[in-house]
Amino acid sequence: MLELTNATAVSRREIPALAADAFRSALGDALRGGARLGALFGREGAAGEAILTAVVNDDGVGASRVVEARVRGGYPSLTSEWPEAQAFERELFEETGVVPEGHPWLKPLRFPPRPGGEGAASIPGAYPYFAVEGEEVHEVAVGPVHAGVIEPGHFRFQCHGERVLHLEIQLGWQHRGVEELLRGGPTKRTLSIVETIAGDTTIGHAIAHCELLEALSGGVAPPRAQALRGVALELERLANHVGDLGALAGDVGFLPSASFLGRLRAEFLNATAEICGSRFGRGLLVPGGVRFDVGSEAAAALAVRVEKAVRSVQAAADLFFDAPSVRGRTDGVGVVAPALAASLGLVGPAARACGLARDVRRDHPSGIYRFAYLPAVLAQHGDVFSRAWIRLLEAERSAAFVAQQLRSLPGGPVRVALGSLAPDRLALSLVEGWRGEICHVALTGADGRFERYDVTDPSVHNWLGLAMALRGEQISDFPLCNKSFNLSYAGHDL
Amino acid sequence: MSLLDILRVRAREGRQTVAYPDGPVKLPERFRGRPTLDASRCPDGCERCAEACPTDAVGPLGAGAGGVGLDLGRCLFCADCVEACPEGAIAFTRDFRLAARTRGALVVQRDEALLAEALGQKLRELFGRSLKLREVCAGGCNGCEAELNACGNIQFDMGRFGIQWVASPRHADGLVLTGPVTENMRDALLRTYEAIPAPKLVIAVGACAISGGPFRGSPAVRDGVGDLLPVDLWLPGCPPHPLTFLDGVLRLLGRVQGGREAEIVRLPQATSESRAAAGALKGR
Ligand code: SF4
């Protein structure tokens, strides 16, 4: 396997191309050695062959490795031994028809519409769900249209009384064809598409994309831009973590914290809007830097504002975490055991809540994170409480980081022009978004354009974690468990 | 923790609801609201804005139509055009009022406010004091959805006007659509609409729902609502600010009328450096 680090590019010619069995065993060795699967995708090769590309991220050594395979028809599945590969191999099968042999459940991932087909075949709902049989077993179906103002997806519960025996999560309703649209780029529209892969993670995906373009063109964003990118990424984390805490408070009916935190979330969105005009950071990132600078006075004022807001968050969150009724609803509910979390390949706060110390900012730092260290926060129990608690601790760390960066912004420009993209390269970019690891992989062709652009939102790793968290739980705890993960449908469906 | 602790935090937090529509609104200085065009500055044959715009929202309107136009239904408010324009003909104002009753009204050619007209008397009587809305996300990225959720929080508090999100379409007076309408959601969208009892309103929120937004042209989406549903109110943005939604719906209900002149804030002119940087990226 060829080694590369985050936010770099390698020549495609140097990537080893293995036979199917060797590919499987090389990946197996890497995963056994503690690396995680970061990306796996296929594309059409010559003469009826398919070419598979896999990237593993080795947190221990702070590097990634890439390997390719030429396969015809199929290859021995990874999922049978490494469940973390399950979604990737389903995607691969759905997109290329290559069969991961021995995959325990090769069900569709996104139901991309078939050419010319308006028929039921391309609609995610028309699908035989897993069913539990038994006299007192019943089934509950929710979605695609949910009760709240949220994205569509389908949850199918197999219940015995109130107890959930099995939850199947079927997605695909949000499929917009993101990766297809990115092929052949970059074009004038590329960045707008990237910013809306998951609209609540605009900064995370935009940084991944821009760092990837910088790696491909040999350009480097100026230090001041890198610091501002870090500020924006942590503000995005703050807004979402605080909003999620508020929503969790709402779900257990603890309304004071729900309303305080729901409002305080806006403080961080508005801080982002002070920098770039958009509460979601749209338009802030550009390849080669950032579009907007922040003057020193404005930066100082913003730092004070963020510090003040996070103090209010702490007060509102203390009420929440101290309330016995909240403890009762969150302690020991929706548990994902550490070993299970590791085998599913969970990322982000959902993984750290199970004691898995993985954080791209620490393990594969790029940009400002090479210079500014953010300690990873861990909890042990893998329950709703841990996932909530992690959110508060991370919010506190992020706020301190933002304030510190804003007070010590490096001088100089915030943007440089990039040259053209190098042809025949593979570039990798990892970012610790607020949900976890964002992974972008681009292959450029002979013309320096994207022959393939592969996006992995952290949600792809984590949705099965939610399904497992529900095993044996009361069905009424579903909204709470769901919120404690708060995964992206659009980011998954692409 | 005691009730006293809760009250203490409540006292510290104070009242947080925005003054709109009765008082002034505070928006960030760089907030990009309604864009304005000054087509008189456009040299003949210049298409720099069109070459830069990610969604082809701005540019010469084509033979016969005359001049340069900007389609707010496609606009992502990204300001790429401002940076590209050598003449400074395009600027963003901080005017958050962006509601229109027809798709056509979203194409602007100069500095003109967008103030949607109210519904007829009959519907106003029905919905004016109580409007229950069912939101359907059909490929939305969670940007629009997040801002719509914010409309219900204590800050924007649309509940003060009797406007509320409801879970069941049977309880709803109207449908709010976000997202470019994916092929996979089309069926669920239509069925939700059918389940809402008449008379019912349809509100299209965001560039995606109006025109497909960044996903326009993808075989997996339908480029927005098109003629799938009869739209009563169009709310551009990516995503529209919660105040844009609130303002649009209140105008539709006849509860806000007229309005102060928009404060025009021009973004800092692009420097030759930033233009070169932008050009190098776009040129490919
Ligand atoms: S209009 Fe923009 S914010 Fe709204 S759903 Fe579409 S991409 Fe997301």
Side-chain angles (χ1 to χ4, degrees), chain A residues 176 192 196 199 282, chain B residues 76 139-145 178-180 205-209 212-215 237-240:
Chain A
R176 298 158 295 174
S192 306
T196 53
R282 305 281 161 87
Chain B
L76 305 179
C141 71
N142 204 26
C144 282
E145 295 74 15
T178 55
V205 172
C208 280
F215 307 99
C238 183

mmCIF file of all heavy atoms in Angstrom, chain A residues 176 192 196 199 282, chain B residues 76 139-145 178-180 205-209 212-215 237-240, ligand 1:
data_model
loop_
_atom_site.group_PDB
_atom_site.id
_atom_site.type_symbol
_atom_site.label_atom_id
_atom_site.label_comp_id
_atom_site.label_asym_id
_atom_site.label_seq_id
_atom_site.Cartn_x
_atom_site.Cartn_y
_atom_site.Cartn_z
ATOM 1 N N ARG A 176 -29.058 13.287 -4.263
ATOM 2 C CA ARG A 176 -29.098 14.399 -5.222
ATOM 3 C C ARG A 176 -28.072 14.239 -6.330
ATOM 4 O O ARG A 176 -27.987 15.080 -7.216
ATOM 5 C CB ARG A 176 -28.801 15.723 -4.489
ATOM 6 C CG ARG A 176 -29.797 16.091 -3.423
ATOM 7 C CD ARG A 176 -29.199 17.060 -2.421
ATOM 8 N NE ARG A 176 -28.114 16.439 -1.675
ATOM 9 C CZ ARG A 176 -27.312 17.070 -0.809
ATOM 10 N NH1 ARG A 176 -27.470 18.359 -0.594
ATOM 11 N NH2 ARG A 176 -26.351 16.434 -0.188
ATOM 12 N N SER A 192 -19.982 25.407 -4.483
ATOM 13 C CA SER A 192 -21.359 25.520 -3.963
ATOM 14 C C SER A 192 -21.943 24.145 -3.669
ATOM 15 O O SER A 192 -22.694 23.978 -2.712
ATOM 16 C CB SER A 192 -22.264 26.239 -4.966
ATOM 17 O OG SER A 192 -21.713 27.469 -5.332
ATOM 18 N N THR A 196 -22.854 22.362 0.252
ATOM 19 C CA THR A 196 -24.202 21.913 0.599
ATOM 20 C C THR A 196 -24.322 20.383 0.576
ATOM 21 O O THR A 196 -25.422 19.851 0.510
ATOM 22 C CB THR A 196 -25.239 22.544 -0.357
ATOM 23 O OG1 THR A 196 -24.839 22.291 -1.704
ATOM 24 C CG2 THR A 196 -25.335 24.025 -0.142
ATOM 25 N N GLY A 199 -25.625 20.673 4.765
ATOM 26 C CA GLY A 199 -25.665 22.124 4.941
ATOM 27 C C GLY A 199 -25.237 22.597 6.315
ATOM 28 O O GLY A 199 -24.830 23.742 6.491
ATOM 29 N N ARG A 282 -21.408 29.979 4.366
ATOM 30 C CA ARG A 282 -21.397 29.891 2.895
ATOM 31 C C ARG A 282 -20.564 31.042 2.343
ATOM 32 O O ARG A 282 -20.715 32.184 2.766
ATOM 33 C CB ARG A 282 -22.829 29.988 2.334
ATOM 34 C CG ARG A 282 -23.801 28.970 2.900
ATOM 35 C CD ARG A 282 -23.615 27.612 2.246
ATOM 36 N NE ARG A 282 -24.206 26.559 3.064
ATOM 37 C CZ ARG A 282 -25.475 26.176 3.000
ATOM 38 N NH1 ARG A 282 -26.294 26.746 2.155
ATOM 39 N NH2 ARG A 282 -25.915 25.198 3.766
ATOM 40 N N LEU B 76 -27.463 31.976 -5.030
ATOM 41 C CA LEU B 76 -27.007 31.355 -3.785
ATOM 42 C C LEU B 76 -26.442 32.402 -2.828
ATOM 43 O O LEU B 76 -25.927 32.072 -1.775
ATOM 44 C CB LEU B 76 -25.947 30.288 -4.070
ATOM 45 C CG LEU B 76 -26.333 29.176 -5.050
ATOM 46 C CD1 LEU B 76 -25.155 28.209 -5.228
ATOM 47 C CD2 LEU B 76 -27.558 28.414 -4.563
ATOM 48 N N GLY B 139 -34.701 16.666 -0.360
ATOM 49 C CA GLY B 139 -33.334 16.824 -0.854
ATOM 50 C C GLY B 139 -32.637 18.047 -0.290
ATOM 51 O O GLY B 139 -31.536 18.374 -0.718
ATOM 52 N N GLY B 140 -33.258 18.715 0.666
ATOM 53 C CA GLY B 140 -32.627 19.878 1.298
ATOM 54 C C GLY B 140 -31.403 19.438 2.077
ATOM 55 O O GLY B 140 -31.339 18.314 2.571
ATOM 56 N N CYS B 141 -30.427 20.353 2.188
ATOM 57 C CA CYS B 141 -29.134 19.965 2.765
ATOM 58 C C CYS B 141 -29.123 20.093 4.271
ATOM 59 O O CYS B 141 -28.111 19.819 4.896
ATOM 60 C CB CYS B 141 -28.038 20.824 2.164
ATOM 61 S SG CYS B 141 -28.090 22.536 2.731
ATOM 62 N N ASN B 142 -30.213 20.527 4.855
ATOM 63 C CA ASN B 142 -30.359 20.821 6.274
ATOM 64 C C ASN B 142 -29.957 22.254 6.592
ATOM 65 O O ASN B 142 -29.941 22.641 7.753
ATOM 66 C CB ASN B 142 -29.595 19.843 7.185
ATOM 67 C CG ASN B 142 -30.205 19.786 8.584
ATOM 68 O OD1 ASN B 142 -31.393 20.059 8.738
ATOM 69 N ND2 ASN B 142 -29.418 19.465 9.584
ATOM 70 N N GLY B 143 -29.643 23.044 5.589
ATOM 71 C CA GLY B 143 -29.440 24.475 5.799
ATOM 72 C C GLY B 143 -30.795 25.155 5.931
ATOM 73 O O GLY B 143 -31.108 25.793 6.939
ATOM 74 N N CYS B 144 -31.626 24.983 4.919
ATOM 75 C CA CYS B 144 -32.974 25.568 4.958
ATOM 76 C C CYS B 144 -33.760 25.030 6.150
ATOM 77 O O CYS B 144 -34.446 25.781 6.842
ATOM 78 C CB CYS B 144 -33.730 25.244 3.675
ATOM 79 S SG CYS B 144 -33.226 26.277 2.281
ATOM 80 N N GLU B 145 -33.645 23.738 6.392
ATOM 81 C CA GLU B 145 -34.404 23.105 7.474
ATOM 82 C C GLU B 145 -33.983 23.692 8.815
ATOM 83 O O GLU B 145 -34.826 23.965 9.675
ATOM 84 C CB GLU B 145 -34.189 21.589 7.454
ATOM 85 C CG GLU B 145 -34.732 20.883 6.220
ATOM 86 C CD GLU B 145 -33.893 21.106 4.968
ATOM 87 O OE1 GLU B 145 -32.738 21.559 5.080
ATOM 88 O OE2 GLU B 145 -34.388 20.843 3.854
ATOM 89 N N THR B 178 -38.676 22.388 1.005
ATOM 90 C CA THR B 178 -37.253 22.685 0.840
ATOM 91 C C THR B 178 -36.614 21.575 0.017
ATOM 92 O O THR B 178 -37.113 20.453 -0.024
ATOM 93 C CB THR B 178 -36.519 22.750 2.190
ATOM 94 O OG1 THR B 178 -36.747 21.532 2.903
ATOM 95 C CG2 THR B 178 -36.997 23.910 3.044
ATOM 96 N N GLY B 179 -35.502 21.896 -0.609
ATOM 97 C CA GLY B 179 -34.765 20.893 -1.382
ATOM 98 C C GLY B 179 -35.159 20.892 -2.843
ATOM 99 O O GLY B 179 -36.235 21.362 -3.222
ATOM 100 N N PRO B 180 -34.283 20.345 -3.682
ATOM 101 C CA PRO B 180 -34.475 20.391 -5.132
ATOM 102 C C PRO B 180 -35.495 19.377 -5.653
ATOM 103 O O PRO B 180 -35.680 19.257 -6.857
ATOM 104 C CB PRO B 180 -33.079 20.063 -5.669
ATOM 105 C CG PRO B 180 -32.447 19.218 -4.608
ATOM 106 C CD PRO B 180 -32.992 19.718 -3.303
ATOM 107 N N VAL B 205 -39.193 27.286 -0.238
ATOM 108 C CA VAL B 205 -38.120 27.934 0.507
ATOM 109 C C VAL B 205 -36.753 27.512 -0.027
ATOM 110 O O VAL B 205 -36.433 26.326 -0.067
ATOM 111 C CB VAL B 205 -38.230 27.579 2.008
ATOM 112 C CG1 VAL B 205 -37.011 28.074 2.768
ATOM 113 C CG2 VAL B 205 -39.500 28.170 2.604
ATOM 114 N N GLY B 206 -35.960 28.508 -0.415
ATOM 115 C CA GLY B 206 -34.574 28.237 -0.789
ATOM 116 C C GLY B 206 -34.379 28.023 -2.278
ATOM 117 O O GLY B 206 -35.292 27.634 -3.012
ATOM 118 N N ALA B 207 -33.138 28.281 -2.708
ATOM 119 C CA ALA B 207 -32.788 28.158 -4.124
ATOM 120 C C ALA B 207 -33.095 26.759 -4.654
ATOM 121 O O ALA B 207 -33.540 26.591 -5.793
ATOM 122 C CB ALA B 207 -31.310 28.482 -4.317
ATOM 123 N N CYS B 208 -32.881 25.742 -3.826
ATOM 124 C CA CYS B 208 -33.131 24.362 -4.269
ATOM 125 C C CYS B 208 -34.591 24.161 -4.637
ATOM 126 O O CYS B 208 -34.906 23.657 -5.717
ATOM 127 C CB CYS B 208 -32.768 23.374 -3.167
ATOM 128 S SG CYS B 208 -31.027 23.028 -3.042
ATOM 129 N N ALA B 209 -35.485 24.523 -3.734
ATOM 130 C CA ALA B 209 -36.909 24.283 -3.964
ATOM 131 C C ALA B 209 -37.410 25.113 -5.140
ATOM 132 O O ALA B 209 -38.314 24.711 -5.864
ATOM 133 C CB ALA B 209 -37.711 24.610 -2.701
ATOM 134 N N GLY B 212 -33.750 24.198 -8.067
ATOM 135 C CA GLY B 212 -32.761 23.119 -8.043
ATOM 136 C C GLY B 212 -31.469 23.530 -7.364
ATOM 137 O O GLY B 212 -30.662 22.679 -7.021
ATOM 138 N N GLY B 213 -31.271 24.840 -7.207
ATOM 139 C CA GLY B 213 -30.096 25.357 -6.498
ATOM 140 C C GLY B 213 -28.807 24.802 -7.061
ATOM 141 O O GLY B 213 -28.648 24.675 -8.284
ATOM 142 N N PRO B 214 -27.877 24.411 -6.188
ATOM 143 C CA PRO B 214 -26.591 23.905 -6.675
ATOM 144 C C PRO B 214 -26.740 22.574 -7.418
ATOM 145 O O PRO B 214 -25.795 22.133 -8.067
ATOM 146 C CB PRO B 214 -25.773 23.693 -5.393
ATOM 147 C CG PRO B 214 -26.511 24.386 -4.299
ATOM 148 C CD PRO B 214 -27.926 24.509 -4.730
ATOM 149 N N PHE B 215 -27.891 21.937 -7.311
ATOM 150 C CA PHE B 215 -28.055 20.584 -7.871
ATOM 151 C C PHE B 215 -28.821 20.577 -9.178
ATOM 152 O O PHE B 215 -29.159 19.524 -9.715
ATOM 153 C CB PHE B 215 -28.716 19.681 -6.828
ATOM 154 C CG PHE B 215 -27.970 19.733 -5.541
ATOM 155 C CD1 PHE B 215 -28.388 20.536 -4.494
ATOM 156 C CD2 PHE B 215 -26.771 19.056 -5.426
ATOM 157 C CE1 PHE B 215 -27.640 20.636 -3.336
ATOM 158 C CE2 PHE B 215 -26.016 19.154 -4.278
ATOM 159 C CZ PHE B 215 -26.457 19.941 -3.226
ATOM 160 N N GLY B 237 -32.943 32.315 -1.277
ATOM 161 C CA GLY B 237 -31.843 32.295 -0.316
ATOM 162 C C GLY B 237 -31.214 30.927 -0.285
ATOM 163 O O GLY B 237 -31.777 29.974 -0.795
ATOM 164 N N CYS B 238 -30.041 30.860 0.305
ATOM 165 C CA CYS B 238 -29.365 29.554 0.417
ATOM 166 C C CYS B 238 -28.556 29.541 1.688
ATOM 167 O O CYS B 238 -27.363 29.708 1.659
ATOM 168 C CB CYS B 238 -28.480 29.281 -0.792
ATOM 169 S SG CYS B 238 -27.682 27.644 -0.759
ATOM 170 N N PRO B 239 -29.207 29.298 2.817
ATOM 171 C CA PRO B 239 -30.651 29.271 3.011
ATOM 172 C C PRO B 239 -31.181 30.685 3.289
ATOM 173 O O PRO B 239 -30.409 31.559 3.655
ATOM 174 C CB PRO B 239 -30.784 28.419 4.284
ATOM 175 C CG PRO B 239 -29.539 28.739 5.063
ATOM 176 C CD PRO B 239 -28.460 29.003 4.048
ATOM 177 N N PRO B 240 -32.505 30.885 3.144
ATOM 178 C CA PRO B 240 -33.090 32.168 3.560
ATOM 179 C C PRO B 240 -32.923 32.338 5.074
ATOM 180 O O PRO B 240 -33.015 31.366 5.818
ATOM 181 C CB PRO B 240 -34.570 32.030 3.215
ATOM 182 C CG PRO B 240 -34.676 30.844 2.329
ATOM 183 C CD PRO B 240 -33.503 29.958 2.631
HETATM 184 S S1 SF4 C 1 -31.322 26.252 -0.873
HETATM 185 FE FE1 SF4 C 1 -29.246 26.083 -0.083
HETATM 186 S S2 SF4 C 1 -29.527 25.869 2.130
HETATM 187 FE FE2 SF4 C 1 -31.498 25.424 1.186
HETATM 188 S S3 SF4 C 1 -31.525 23.232 0.918
HETATM 189 FE FE3 SF4 C 1 -30.732 24.091 -0.985
HETATM 190 S S4 SF4 C 1 -28.533 24.084 -0.765
HETATM 191 FE FE4 SF4 C 1 -29.389 23.798 1.285
#
